[in-house]
Each structure stands twice: as C-alpha cells, then as structure tokens.
Amino acid sequence: MKWGVQVVKPSTYNNGSTSVLVQFSSGRYLFNCGEGTQRLSFENKTRLSKLTSVFLTRVDWESMGGLPGMLLTLADAGTRDLVIHGGHNLTHAMAATRHFILRSDMGVGVRELRDGDAGAEYADENVRVQPVHIYPDGYTASAAELGPDESAAAATRRELLARAFGVCREPQAGRKRREPVPQGVKKGYYGQECREAAIAGTLQRLEQRGDEAAKKRVRGGSRGRGSTELLPATAPTPGVVCYVVTGPEVPGKFDPQAARALGLKPGPHYARLVKGESVVTADGTEIRPEQCVGPVRPSSRVVIVDCPTPAYVASVVESPQLAALLDGGAEAGPRLALVVHALGPGVAQDARYRAWAARFPAHVQHVVSAPEFVADNNPFQRHLRIHTALSAVDPRTYVTPQAAGSAELQPRAFIDGARVVAASSLLGFDIEPQPRLDESLVVPLLTPAEMRAKMQLDGAEPEPAAAGDEGELAVCAIGTGSSVPSIYRNVSGNVVSVRGYGGMVLDCGEATVSLLRRFLGHPQRNPHSARIGQSYDEFVRTLRLLYISHMHADHHLGAVQLLHDWSRLAADTARLTVLAPARFWAWLEDYAGVQDVGLGRLDFVDCGDLRGGSAGAAGAAGAHVARLKAGLGLAEVQTCSVVHCPWAYGVSLTHASGWKLVYSGDTRPCASLVALGRAGGTAPTIVLHEATLPDELHADAVAKRHSTVSEAVAMALGMRAENLLLTHFSQRCMVLPRWSAANIEAVSVSRYGAVASSGSSSAREDSGDEAELALPADSQAPQSVRAALERELCEAASDTDTGAARGVLGSLKVAAAFDMSV
C-alpha cells in the first residue's frame, strides 16, 4: 500500500491558511480549503477528482473560503457524496451557502467534530482521523459547543443544508458523472431552448414576481422553496481543531519460499494465507498464516497542528492528546511519521511552541508552514510570465506585483538540528511503503525580476513609480476571468479609486483580496503601484462601496474576507455601503453568525431600490445612499436590471466632477443598460463591460446569457461612451479577443441603441474584415520586448488593423483587461 501527504498551499503573509492533501489510491482527504486553493490545484495539476472528505481546522473564511467554489466545480464534474468535517458552527456555515449554491444531486454531508463528543472521529478503509480541540488563552467553551447537538436549531440547519446539496449517501465503488448537454440542443438555465427573447422574458417575469417577495422573506423569515429565510442564530467561536491522522496497518509480506517448503503450490491457498486465513494441504496438514506471512507492521500517523496566534500556544502544549505523541510516547502503537505545523505570525518563534515541537521523537519529519518561513512569491507563475511581458511594455498599467525573494527565517531557526523543512506547494512526504521526504515536484517560484531575466526582456527592471498627477479616477481590473479561476485569469473583481475620496469594489470573486494585497502591497505599499498609491490596508480603511452585481459565486466569494478585513482595519465610526441584491444581504446575515464581518457598521442598499436613480430610494436606503454620495463625491448612483439571472443588475456612478462609470455585471445586450448609460444626458467616461465569449461562440453566449466581444463593443457605442474596458473573459479563450465590424453592427437594433451612426458606409462595406486588440501605435517599447510579448500571448501584436472596425468604433477607445492592471 502506498500513501502520503502533499502540501497544496502553504501559509504566507498573503494567504493565511495551510492546505494539505492526504493521498491514497482509493481516496483523497483535503485539510483546509482557503480562497485560491482550486486555482492553485489547476496551476500545479493537483488532482482533486477523487476527493472523499474535507477537514477544516477552523470554521472561518480563511480556512474554508475556497470550499463553496470548489464544491460547485466538483458537483459539475460529477463528484458525489462528499463529507466535510470541522468544529462548531460548520453546519451553519455550509447551510448559509444555500443562498447561491443549489446542487441537490451532489450529496454533501457535514459532520461537526465537537469537543466532548466521544463519537467525534472519522474512520474508513484508509484512515482514522481524530480531532484535537484547542482554544485561546482565557476562553472556555460554552455548553452549545460541547457534545452532540440534537437541538431543533441544528435540525433546521441540516434540513436547509439538504435542500441545497442533497443527502450524502455511503461512498460507492464507482463515481457517477454528469451527462453533458448535447451540443445540438443547447438549453438555458431554466430548461428552455436558447431563444434570446424567451430568456429575457423569463428573467423579467421572475424578477417582477419575486423582487418584493424576496425582500419580505429576508426581513420576515418566512419559509418556502427558494426562500431566503435566515438560519437560527448562533455566535462565532474561536475554537480550532487539530487532527491526528492514522493510516492502515501494513499487511505482512508473503514468503513464497516458506510456503513451498510447507508443501503448498502457487494458487488460491496463497491468497487465503495473505488474507489471514488458515489452509489445509492435500495430506491434511493445517498451515497458519504466520508460518509464511511476515508480521503486520503498525500503522503510521500524521499530525496537523493549526495554531493561528500565540494565544493558542498554551492550549497546544498542554493538550493531553498531543502530549501522548511526544517523547516516544506512542511507540507501542502507531508510529508517528510527520508533523505539519500550520502556524500564524509569531507562533513559530514562540519559545513555548518551539520547546514543545522539539520533544517529538528524532525520526519525525517536521513541515513548518508559517509566514516567516515561506517566501511570499506569486504561486501563479504562468500568469506572472504574461504579466511580466505586459509590464515590460507598460509598467504603469501592468503593475509589477509585490513579491519576496526569500523567507525571513530558515527552517533551522524553528527547531535546531531537527528534521524540519519549510512548506511549499507540491512538497510531499511518502508514508508508505517507506517514509521519505519528496521534493521532486517542487518548482521554485520566481520573483518578477527573476521572471524578467528568464524571459530575456531588454531594458532595466521597472523602477518604483513616483506618485504624481495620476488623475482623479483609477479603474483596476483585479480578476478578469469568468465562472471558475484558471491559471491565467482569476474570477471577477474590480477596484475603483477616487483620489481624495476613497475606494470602491465592483464585484469581488474568490481570492480578490489575495490579488489586491499583491497588487497594492501588504503590509507595506507596493512601490510600483502609483495610480492608486495606497497599500492594501490603506485602501481598505478608505473603502466606501462594495457593489455585487448578482449572486453567482464567481462574483462575490471574496467579499467575506474583504468585509472581515474592513471591520478589523477601519475606524470604529466608519460606515461601508453594500449595494447588492437582497439575497446577498441574507447570506451575510447568516454567515455573520460564524465570523465577524462588521455587519453592524454596514449600510445595505438593495440594487432594486435604485433602478429609478437615487431619488427613488426612501427611508433607510435613502439615508445610506446620501452618505455614500457624500463620501465619494457622487452626483448620482443608479442601477438597472440586466439579462442574466434573476436579480442581476448593472450600475452607473456619476461623479460631481463630471466623470461617469458604467459597470455591466454579467448580461446579454439589453436596452436597459444602454438607457442607464445615457441617463441624465451624460455619456459614460468609461464602460466596464463583460465580453465573455468570442463572436464565433455566439450560441454559447445566448445559452449562458453572456455577451460576445462585438456585442460588448456595440453596447458601449450605443451609450456613446468614451472608453470601453472589456473583462470577464471565458477561461476557454486564452488569446486576445477579436471582434468584427459586421458583428458590431448586427447588434445595432432599436432596443440596444443605434451604433450605425458611429461608422462610415465605407467601413460597413468592409465589415467582413476583423480587427484585433493590439499594442498602442505609438508604443516605443524595444523590439525584443515586443517580440517576447508576441511569443507569450501567441498572437501577433500588430500596430495596424483593418479600417472597418476602426471606422465603426469612431472615437471609442477599447482595451482588454488582464488581471492586476489599472
């Protein structure tokens, strides 16, 4: 039997939680799933398809923020019957995700491994997992956290969880896969064929029918299918669960020579002896297994210790379950092979913890995953390669991300003379057949400077940018991909900085915070980021608006961490406006029972309340909008319904100084968005519009209710916008997007707004030609830099295009966004 442990994600200053994978041929067990875990598994080709259980050391977003997105991906890939284990409030946290997850045929089980519950451990044919509960100094677990929870509130949570994920069944030998939709008959989300008018009509009816009812359910808590009733109240707990993982015993080795000496011939008797059964020879002699099968080797153990702050050290070092493994205390039973130390800042240097760790037997391998011991480099090296090439052409737009070339401390500073190594992605440790540290898959992470040298880009490394007159408005695309994160693009996230006022976040997909920290700098300011000129902490302190366009997970899973950081960093008197669908607020109210997100200091405004402009907002919503406008210097905030899913919105923000920004969210081309762009008689200064699919995948765009590149351009032309920033690209499309003049003009119908007047007749005659997004014609970049950029993007970077699309575009300036660009 072969099994082992692999580090998926180490702990750094940028990413707090440590993720570890225990692997067998028949199953995989993931410990912690923080934001970015799924994307990192794509980057490193870590297979999670056979995942059978997930264990969380903490029920907070740092440890579980990547789990909802990963569950959606696994469900759509056919994974069934997954069990999630963790401490108190886990069922509550998972049931809260029902507001945006509905995979009732997946079967997700939740097991709370509660302190004081004798049955709170997990066992299957591969492993036995025992929880070890630790608490911070001065904390005593309440009665609600101890022992099995058979309350009526727990039953309600389990019922709502089952509605979202279905009932988890016993693991089956084969895994059922979802049948793909036949390509000949594409279906929309509600089962109808992909007729665009039918989709728009269905969405309009659903929204009109359910808009007010949704608000009442949030406030009143009524029950019903698809309702947004809130979960029974609970309170956050600081409890942490460490784990002792025990593998199977190793069967003794069969000795065929001994069997032959006893008169046995190869065949069924050999197999029975290996199974531990006695056999009888032809002459009636009984042969017992121990006569030709070696002794069974004891099982091996792995300990995963999560100690988030020095306040937990006393609980760790005084734990009787962990003490039994020290000083060779477990020699009579399973043999301890590996200890993974998942430590928060300051813990690895705590003298109490270091003395405790040094007491483990000398043969034990230690893996320390702590920010001081892990270099904080960009783990997404393929994205960094492209970003570095773009930065060589325009360093102020494609900001060099923050990175640390080396760790602050070396492993020997943790336990002197012990077998200790710093954690890194893909670091492995084989438990069976022979304990062995495996570093063969570890790839050194290059800094931007090292990547630039490797790519042989001409010119000096970009100098730190001096803060200057960068203009009042800066729009930064932090994540530019759609649906699921990929190795090149993260999911949706956009940052807007209004100099002298504060910041806004327009959609906040998973791991947006991590990218924003690297983009702006954390904890110190990134010297290359001049157009915003703030560190991450400074930006969050001055954050004024969080806008969520709709409830699809790729647009809001990073919001919890952002709100948690805001509640921790902002002044006690600060207020933050959350403009979102009503269901998003219901999700926050539910999840706030698990972790503090500053709910009492958030001003919630339902997107539906601003469809007629801010003047239509009454009561508390009107006061919240007035405070938002004053804080950001806005003259108007207005939303509109768009064609994507129920309660999906676009937004327009008009500043008192004259600029206007329109953000589409996800949508098909629609008249309401064009009308929003033209509202008030002011054309948009910039339109941030989704361009999910290339023109040749128009049928897919209709089926999934997204826009093609040409449709996005046509929408901006219909608004008479000055600038268009394309984003939200399909992860299937790895090259620069293309459009055609013919396809742009095909969108020129009355309900979208006329665009024909923007182009000339000669341009329309040549509309069969295509244009590409290219480098600026006045670019003075060195030729070798441009050549490197062409190689990386696999597409010629031409300075010229056909006159057709240029004529249709008129004065509209178009750019395609890439992650961490401004």
Side-chain angles (χ1 to χ4, degrees):
M1 173 177 290
K2 181 177 181 179
W3 69 285
V5 178
Q6 187 178 71
V7 176
V8 177
K9 183 165 71 72
S11 175
T12 67
Y13 287 117
N14 198 302
N15 289 297
S17 68
T18 299
S19 295
V20 173
L21 189 64
V22 177
Q23 304 183 85
F24 288 80
S25 59
S26 57
R28 292 179 171 86
Y29 310 82
L30 181 64
F31 290 79
N32 284 343
C33 187
E35 290 188 64
T37 300
Q38 181 178 195
R39 187 183 182 195
L40 197 55
S41 71
F42 296 155
E43 174 81 13
N44 294 327
K45 301 180 181 179
T46 302
R47 294 183 59 193
L48 299 177
S49 57
K50 291 185 178 180
L51 199 62
T52 54
S53 286
V54 178
F55 296 84
L56 302 177
T57 59
R58 284 171 276 155
V59 183
D60 65 9
W61 207 250
E62 191 171 78
S63 297
M64 64 172 291
L67 188 56
M70 190 179 72
L71 288 177
L72 287 167
T73 300
L74 291 176
D76 295 341
T79 297
R80 300 292 182 268
D81 305 320
L82 185 69
V83 184
I84 303 169
H85 311 258
H88 177 61
N89 278 338
L90 178 59
T91 307
H92 186 103
M94 291 305 303
T97 65
R98 75 196 185 284
H99 294 295
F100 53 91
I101 295 180
L102 180 59
R103 294 295 186 272
S104 56
D105 58 346
M106 183 180 185
V108 172
V110 172
R111 293 194 61 201
E112 292 193 2
L113 307 176
R114 299 165 64 86
D115 199 356
D117 184 357
E121 67 174 45
Y122 172 81
D124 63 14
E125 70 276 10
N126 292 324
V127 296
R128 182 164 61 95
V129 183
Q130 299 166 286
V132 178
H133 295 266
I134 65 170
Y135 302 95
D137 296 336
Y139 182 83
T140 302
S142 65
E145 300 174 53
L146 302 175
D149 188 359
E150 302 298 337
S151 65
T156 299
R157 295 185 184 100
R158 289 191 290 267
E159 176 190 349
L160 293 175
L161 177 72
R163 291 186 196 176
F165 292 102
V167 178
C168 182
R169 302 172 294 276
E170 291 297 321
Q172 300 174 0
R175 291 186 178 270
K176 203 163 118 185
R177 297 289 175 183
R178 186 181 300 276
E179 292 295 327
V181 176
Q183 293 299 306
V185 185
K186 290 185 178 293
K187 299 282 185 178
Y189 286 125
Y190 300 100
Q192 76 270 35
E193 292 186 15
C194 296
R195 297 189 303 274
E196 190 167 343
I199 291 175
T202 299
L203 293 172
Q204 185 177 14
R205 289 193 301 274
L206 284 170
E207 183 167 292
Q208 290 173 347
R209 185 175 64 205
D211 197 34
E212 290 304 319
K215 296 180 197 174
K216 292 177 182 178
R217 284 194 292 266
V218 171
R219 295 162 190 158
S222 64
R223 292 177 178 267
R225 183 186 175 193
S227 74
T228 50
E229 63 176 295
L230 299 180
L231 292 167
T234 186
T237 173
V240 174
V241 185
C242 305
Y243 293 99
V244 179
V245 182
T246 305
E249 293 182 335
V250 181
K253 187 175 181 180
F254 181 73
D255 187 349
Q257 293 183 351
R260 285 193 294 269
L262 293 170
L264 289 177
K265 296 181 179 180
H269 284 166
Y270 280 19
R272 292 178 59 189
L273 287 167
V274 170
K275 292 178 182 178
E277 302 174 7
S278 297
V279 299
V280 179
T281 63
D283 60 5
T285 303
E286 181 183 12
I287 299 176
R288 299 183 304 278
E290 59 266 24
Q291 292 179 268
C292 49
V293 178
V296 173
R297 278 197 289 128
S299 52
S300 297
R301 274 181 172 160
V302 173
V303 176
I304 299 172
V305 180
D306 184 0
C307 189
T309 72
Y312 290 82
V313 171
S315 185
V316 171
V317 302
E318 295 170 6
S319 167
Q321 297 102 311
L322 297 176
L325 304 175
L326 301 173
D327 303 319
E331 289 182 359
R335 179 180 173 87
L336 181 62
L338 174 68
V339 179
V340 178
H341 303 269
L343 311 178
V347 177
Q349 300 173 71
D350 189 293
R352 298 169 298 165
Y353 191 92
R354 292 177 58 201
W356 173 80
R359 292 175 56 194
F360 282 99
H363 69 271
V364 173
Q365 175 70 53
H366 297 264
V367 174
V368 56
S369 179
E372 301 92 334
F373 292 87
V374 180
D376 195 6
N377 283 331
N378 189 342
F380 306 107
Q381 293 282 286
R382 281 175 275 193
H383 167 269
L384 179 63
R385 186 171 66 246
I386 296 178
H387 193 278
T388 300
L390 292 168
S391 180
V393 178
D394 187 352
R396 298 185 78 82
T397 296
Y398 301 97
V399 175
T400 301
Q402 189 181 66
S406 60
E408 295 176 4
L409 298 173
Q410 296 303 309
R412 62 178 177 272
F414 178 56
I415 308 176
D416 189 26
R419 298 178 59 192
V420 58
V421 63
S424 58
S425 292
L426 297 180
L427 176 70
F429 187 80
D430 295 335
I431 306 294
E432 294 290 348
Q434 184 68 33
R436 180 181 67 92
L437 186 69
D438 183 6
E439 299 178 277
S440 62
L441 298 178
V442 176
V443 178
L445 300 181
L446 303 181
T447 65
E450 292 168 339
M451 182 65 76
R452 183 181 176 88
K454 180 181 179 181
M455 296 171 64
Q456 300 179 347
L457 296 177
D458 289 351
E461 181 181 356
E463 295 292 332
D469 184 12
E470 296 292 344
E472 182 182 35
L473 177 67
V475 180
C476 314
I478 300 299
T480 59
S482 66
S483 185
V484 296
S486 77
I487 58 178
Y488 296 108
R489 297 183 187 269
N490 197 48
V491 288
S492 294
N494 306 284
V495 167
V496 179
S497 175
V498 186
R499 191 173 295 275
Y501 290 93
M504 299 179 276
V505 173
L506 308 180
D507 281 337
C508 189
E510 180 184 332
T512 294
V513 166
S514 175
L515 295 181
L516 198 53
R517 287 172 177 170
R518 202 170 293 284
F519 176 72
L520 297 178
H522 175 71
Q524 289 81 32
R525 184 176 78 86
N526 181 2
H528 298 282
S529 179
R531 288 179 173 167
I532 293 183
Q534 293 177 303
S535 69
Y536 169 77
D537 289 4
E538 291 168 341
F539 175 81
V540 170
R541 288 191 189 100
T542 59
L543 188 63
R544 298 287 180 264
L545 171 65
L546 170 63
Y547 170 77
I548 303 298
S549 62
H550 62 289
M551 284 303 293
H552 284 165
D554 59 317
H555 287 257
H556 69 80
L557 282 181
V560 169
Q561 188 63 49
L562 180 70
L563 291 173
H564 177 71
D565 287 352
W566 177 85
S567 69
R568 177 175 54 86
L569 295 170
D572 293 341
T573 57
R575 308 290 298 184
L576 174 63
T577 302
V578 176
L579 178 59
R583 190 174 288 268
F584 181 76
W585 186 248
W587 147 244
L588 285 185
E589 285 189 300
D590 272 348
Y591 186 78
V594 174
Q595 183 178 1
D596 179 25
V597 292
L599 202 66
R601 294 191 287 146
L602 301 180
D603 296 333
F604 174 71
V605 180
D606 185 353
C607 286
D609 290 342
L610 298 186
R611 281 180 291 190
S614 58
H624 297 338
V625 173
R627 185 184 294 114
L628 170 66
K629 291 166 67 175
L632 282 172
L634 297 175
E636 181 59 295
V637 182
Q638 186 172 350
T639 64
C640 72
S641 298
V642 295
V643 179
H644 182 62
C645 65
W647 308 290
Y649 301 91
V651 67
S652 169
L653 303 160
T654 304
H655 198 264
S657 64
W659 59 258
K660 180 177 182 179
L661 183 151
V662 174
Y663 175 47
S664 69
D666 286 6
T667 183
R668 289 289 300 143
C670 57
S672 59
L673 190 61
V674 173
L676 181 70
R678 292 182 172 185
T682 305
T685 308
I686 182 169
V687 174
L688 183 59
H689 202 291
E690 72 122 297
T692 306
L693 294 160
D695 292 356
E696 58 267 24
L697 296 179
H698 179 265
D700 286 355
V702 174
K704 298 299 184 181
R705 300 191 300 283
H706 285 297
S707 299
T708 66
V709 175
S710 290
E711 288 170 337
V713 173
M715 291 291 286
L717 290 170
M719 299 179 207
R720 302 188 179 94
E722 298 176 26
N723 301 278
L724 170 63
L725 184 61
L726 301 172
T727 187
H728 197 268
F729 299 106
S730 170
Q731 307 292 16
R732 292 180 288 173
C733 305
M734 293 293 103
V735 297
L736 288 172
R738 293 176 178 271
W739 69 76
S740 75
N743 290 336
I744 292 172
E745 294 191 319
V747 189
S748 177
V749 295
S750 58
R751 58 180 175 147
Y752 298 153
V755 300
S757 59
S758 299
S760 64
S761 59
S762 60
R764 290 192 294 273
E765 291 173 356
D766 297 330
S767 61
D769 296 329
E770 302 229 344
E772 64 184 15
L773 293 180
L775 295 174
D778 59 352
S779 174
Q780 301 299 316
Q783 182 60 38
S784 60
V785 172
R786 295 178 59 79
L789 179 59
E790 293 169 13
R791 290 197 304 271
E792 293 303 318
L793 298 181
C794 302
E795 184 165 325
S798 171
D799 284 337
T800 60
D801 55 23
T802 65
R806 211 172 249 178
V808 172
L809 294 183
S811 61
L812 177 66
K813 300 179 180 66
V814 184
F818 193 61
D819 286 17
M820 296 193 288
S821 60
V822 56

